[in-house]
Amino acid sequence: MDTSLSNPEKINPTNTNVACPAGNGSVSTVQGSHHSPAANPDATLGRHVARRLVQIGVEDVFSVPGDFNLTLLDHLIAEPGLNNIGCCNELNAGYAADGYARARGVGACVVTFTVGGLSVLNAIAGAYSENLPLICIVGGPNTNDYGTNRILHHTIGLPDFSQEFRCFQTVTCYQTSCGLWMEARFELILITPLKFLIIHLHSSKESKPVYISISCNLAGIPHPTFAREPIPFSLSPRLSNKQGLEAAVDAAAAFLNKAVKPVMIGGPKLRVAKACAAFVELADASGYALGVMPSAKGLVPECHSHFMGTYWGAVGTPFCGEIVESADAYIFVGPIFNDYSSVGYSLLLKKEKAVIVQPDRVVIGHGPTFGCVLMKDFLQELAKKINKNTAAFENYKRIFVPEGQPRKSEPKEPLRVNVLFQHIQKMLSSDTAVIAETGDSWFNCQKLKLPEGCGYEFQMQYGSIGWSVGATLGYAQSVPKKRVIACIGDGSFQVTAQDVSTMIRCGQRTIIFLINNGGYTIEVEIHDGPYNVIKNWNYTGLVDAIHNGEGKCWTAKVNCEEELIAAIETATGEKQDCLCFIELIVHKDDTSRELLEWGSRVCSANSRPPNPQ
């Protein structure tokens, strides 16, 4: 983790060339020149930051205004290629940047000092856990207030302004604060964009959020440095160690080629390693039975001929777990094994049977570990040396029994959740994307069969309830040609409901299925108590009030299958250009079989007695 406080004594260049590391030892250099004090009033630090955001692929920035970031926002919105999306609160702004980064590769949010920064912190922590490159920009105090022993508003009442900075150190891979203002002001401004460049380099390398604080009186200061277009980034590709790569491939090929019925499982770190295509290449070459961990759903095409489904132990796709756990060798690519993904540590896997491939290293059984080996390179080279072996998939085909259909509903029978997801399945295409909120939607959405090109996102590692509202806003903004289908529980929706307003204002066409079962169902199945029951809202009435006749929005309340069919027909037909909010009334105990099983196993893991040391 890198940290920088912009102290001119530390960062003044010693010559007229300002150089910035560009990764793996290469250097980008900007030739220094002498400028007159006069500068184009549009050539400001704020506009320069805006241009850099556009240059790395950010077209929309999610913000909440505060007095410390107002000038910065003026300069961001002046950039033609950058659109400001004002959010209802900082937490949702961070979640929106998270959702945006999942589709675009990078997202950005702008908040004010401390009250905004600490509010967005939870969303940034979630992005960190999910390996998402996200830029959090905070408008900071006036440079003249640093070191004066003054107490400012929006702080915790101490003259030390570093609390926010220190908080972000634990959930970002790089931090910089442009606030220490001394005599060498032009040198400081000159260095700032280069530091911003370093931030993106770290983001690209580690795929984690970064933090930058810009004092409120710096964003609007013009300087000739910013009069020209930004120097393009020079990003040298990371390379595998050639000998290490060869050794890892040879060892893995020898290990897997002697197996009788090997399988391969994709994990969530396929995304950060940009190795999804290489994973499919290996699957094609090997003929192995193929599955994904739950948090990797959507990263591997489910139309692949050897795709079995989700490997999630006792709650995964039927027959997938049996094939994986009975295999004599398995290659896990980019896995994260935690208590949730392992169903309370109940997976029946043996380390001596496993090849574990992480973004920059390979571990084979209890044997050697090969470092400085990039996942994408490893998979591509292994595909050339692996022997085709379809034994596990042939066995899967022998034991596979197609899933049954939900019991047909009686006329006007109260809606059941399994009937709901049967109809959601029919809505999916390459022009749609699914957002699954923390809760029973995790399990019901895992069972959806994604057509080629259909997006899918959920937050499994961090599992913050309410994430999906902001993430849906950001994801839909990043892929306007797709229609996002969000499945959200009532308890989660109550945490972050406000930014349905922003979706309407942005003209988004999302379909939100609000599953109203009266509480925190996922918590009920882990450990029940009166705290899991919530106050019921009139959800459609709330969204109608938020709509307030401005923009395009349509709501419906559904109690049975007949009403559900009618609502879907309207949402995909007459109201296809509207944000559609469909509230579904279901029984409080109507949950998936998988949640019942998973909840009991997680409860068992949580309730283990202390282990005497």
Side-chain angles (χ1 to χ4, degrees):
M1 183 180 299
D2 294 317
T3 301
S4 173
L5 285 167
S6 298
N7 187 333
E9 294 180 347
K10 295 182 180 179
I11 62 176
N12 280 347
T14 56
N15 54 46
T16 57
N17 294 338
V18 181
C20 166
N24 281 357
S26 64
V27 175
S28 299
T29 303
V30 182
Q31 294 293 332
S33 59
H34 297 285
H35 298 279
S36 65
N40 183 341
D42 291 330
T44 63
L45 174 59
R47 284 298 296 274
H48 184 79
V49 170
R51 294 188 193 104
R52 283 301 196 195
L53 288 172
V54 172
Q55 192 178 67
I56 63 175
V58 175
E59 295 179 1
D60 302 273
V61 62
F62 302 91
S63 69
V64 177
D67 61 325
F68 287 129
N69 70 8
L70 298 178
T71 301
L72 174 61
L73 289 174
D74 284 339
H75 291 274
L76 295 182
I77 64 176
E79 174 60 35
L82 196 62
N83 181 37
N84 179 64
I85 307 293
C87 297
C88 296
N89 59 59
E90 291 88 358
L91 180 61
N92 274 338
Y95 286 154
D98 172 313
Y100 194 92
R102 290 168 183 266
R104 287 291 184 96
V106 63
C109 59
V110 181
V111 298
T112 196
F113 186 60
T114 306
V115 290
L118 297 189
S119 181
V120 79
L121 193 68
N122 186 55
I124 302 302
Y128 188 95
S129 74
E130 299 278 323
N131 299 297
L132 296 171
L134 193 157
I135 301 170
C136 180
I137 305 173
V138 176
N142 189 290
T143 55
N144 296 295
D145 289 321
Y146 283 91
T148 62
N149 211 35
R150 292 171 180 160
I151 294 176
L152 292 183
H153 68 288
H154 288 346
T155 70
I156 62 173
L158 298 176
D160 175 9
F161 304 152
S162 66
Q163 299 90 10
E164 176 188 84
F165 188 96
R166 296 199 305 270
C167 288
F168 274 92
Q169 285 180 315
T170 61
V171 294
T172 56
C173 69
Y174 185 86
Q175 315 83 34
T176 188
S177 178
C178 304
L180 300 182
W181 188 247
M182 299 177 71
E183 291 182 0
R185 56 183 64 187
F186 287 136
E187 285 80 359
L188 178 60
I189 294 180
L190 185 62
I191 292 298
T192 299
L194 300 180
K195 286 188 168 291
F196 187 76
L197 172 57
I198 296 174
I199 287 175
H200 182 58
L201 294 179
H202 281 262
S203 172
S204 298
K205 177 181 177 181
E206 301 184 37
S207 194
K208 298 283 190 182
V210 294
Y211 164 90
I212 178 170
S213 176
I214 300 176
S215 286
C216 58
N217 61 330
L218 295 187
I221 293 181
H223 190 266
T225 303
F226 307 128
R228 55 180 175 263
E229 286 298 309
I231 302 299
F233 289 114
S234 175
L235 302 177
S236 296
R238 298 179 67 202
L239 302 175
S240 295
N241 178 282
K242 185 177 180 180
Q243 290 181 319
L245 175 62
E246 292 175 354
V249 169
D250 289 343
F255 182 89
L256 294 168
N257 286 340
K258 69 182 181 183
V260 176
K261 45 182 181 178
V263 298
M264 59 186 296
I265 302 296
K269 291 188 178 179
L270 279 168
R271 188 205 303 266
V272 60
K274 298 178 174 58
C276 295
F279 182 82
V280 174
E281 184 179 335
L282 177 60
D284 291 339
S286 66
Y288 290 179
L290 168 65
V292 294
M293 299 184 76
S295 48
K297 186 177 177 68
L299 299 181
V300 175
E302 298 186 7
C303 57
H304 192 279
S305 59
H306 285 188
F307 186 78
M308 297 184 293
T310 300
Y311 174 62
W312 201 355
V315 300
T317 305
F319 308 106
C320 179
E322 291 82 352
I323 293 298
V324 172
E325 293 177 352
S326 65
D328 57 342
Y330 17 74
I331 176 169
F332 279 84
V333 183
I336 294 177
F337 294 106
N338 61 24
D339 52 338
Y340 276 15
S341 67
S342 66
V343 198
Y345 311 113
S346 65
L347 300 182
L348 302 178
L349 298 174
K350 296 181 178 179
K351 187 175 181 180
E352 61 268 21
K353 293 183 179 182
V355 176
I356 306 294
V357 185
Q358 295 294 6
D360 58 0
R361 71 182 188 279
V362 177
V363 182
I364 300 177
H366 287 298
T369 297
F370 301 90
C372 299
V373 174
L374 300 186
M375 180 188 292
K376 182 178 179 180
D377 297 340
F378 174 80
L379 297 178
Q380 290 174 334
E381 292 303 311
L382 182 60
K384 300 173 184 177
K385 294 194 173 183
I386 204 75
N387 294 337
K388 195 142 193 164
N389 186 336
T390 61
F393 185 70
E394 295 298 329
N395 194 29
Y396 168 75
K397 289 196 297 183
R398 280 189 287 270
I399 68 172
F400 175 75
V401 177
E403 294 182 55
Q405 295 296 314
R407 174 180 60 81
K408 185 175 177 59
S409 298
E410 299 294 330
K412 299 299 181 181
E413 177 186 346
L415 183 66
R416 287 177 281 119
V417 171
N418 55 14
V419 172
L420 163 65
F421 280 90
Q422 183 183 30
H423 286 282
I424 290 178
Q425 177 67 68
K426 297 174 184 177
M427 300 172 67
L428 303 185
S429 71
S430 60
D431 296 322
T432 61
V434 177
I435 304 290
E437 175 59 81
T438 300
D440 198 23
S441 291
W442 273 6
F443 303 92
N444 288 304
C445 289
Q446 279 291 327
K447 292 184 282 188
L448 295 172
K449 295 175 174 58
L450 303 180
E452 186 173 4
C454 180
Y456 184 91
E457 297 294 344
F458 80 129
Q459 189 195 56
M460 185 170 191
Q461 173 60 38
Y462 202 57
S464 183
I465 65 170
W467 162 85
S468 66
V469 176
T472 295
L473 165 64
Y475 192 95
Q477 191 66 25
S478 68
V479 285
K481 293 184 179 180
K482 283 186 181 291
R483 193 149 198 208
V484 177
I485 299 171
C487 300
I488 309 175
D490 51 350
S492 296
F493 186 74
Q494 288 193 7
V495 178
T496 50
Q498 305 97 306
D499 271 286
V500 169
S501 170
T502 311
M503 298 179 197
I504 297 171
R505 187 166 60 166
C506 291
Q508 295 182 358
R509 304 178 299 117
T510 295
I511 300 175
I512 296 176
F513 287 104
L514 189 286
I515 302 169
N516 183 351
N517 55 13
Y520 299 120
T521 303
I522 190 170
E523 314 293 2
V524 168
E525 303 308 331
I526 296 174
H527 183 100
D528 200 5
Y531 31 75
N532 290 325
V533 179
I534 62 176
K535 172 70 174 67
N536 189 38
W537 291 1
N538 180 356
Y539 294 97
T540 53
L542 172 66
V543 173
D544 286 337
I546 291 173
H547 176 208
N548 198 28
E550 299 176 5
K552 294 182 178 181
C553 177
W554 176 79
T555 65
K557 193 184 296 282
V558 167
N559 293 277
C560 61
E561 185 177 12
E562 292 89 340
E563 293 175 356
L564 173 64
I565 293 172
I568 291 175
E569 286 179 351
T570 301
T572 56
E574 178 186 352
K575 300 296 183 181
Q576 61 181 319
D577 62 341
C578 297
L579 183 136
C580 297
F581 183 90
I582 303 174
E583 179 184 353
L584 309 150
I585 311 300
V586 300
H587 193 276
K588 68 181 182 66
D589 293 325
D590 186 358
T591 67
S592 63
R593 174 193 67 81
E594 291 79 7
L595 175 56
L596 296 175
E597 176 73 25
W598 180 89
S600 63
R601 289 175 183 253
V602 170
C603 176
S604 178
N606 287 351
S607 59
R608 288 167 296 163
N611 183 21
Q613 299 298 323

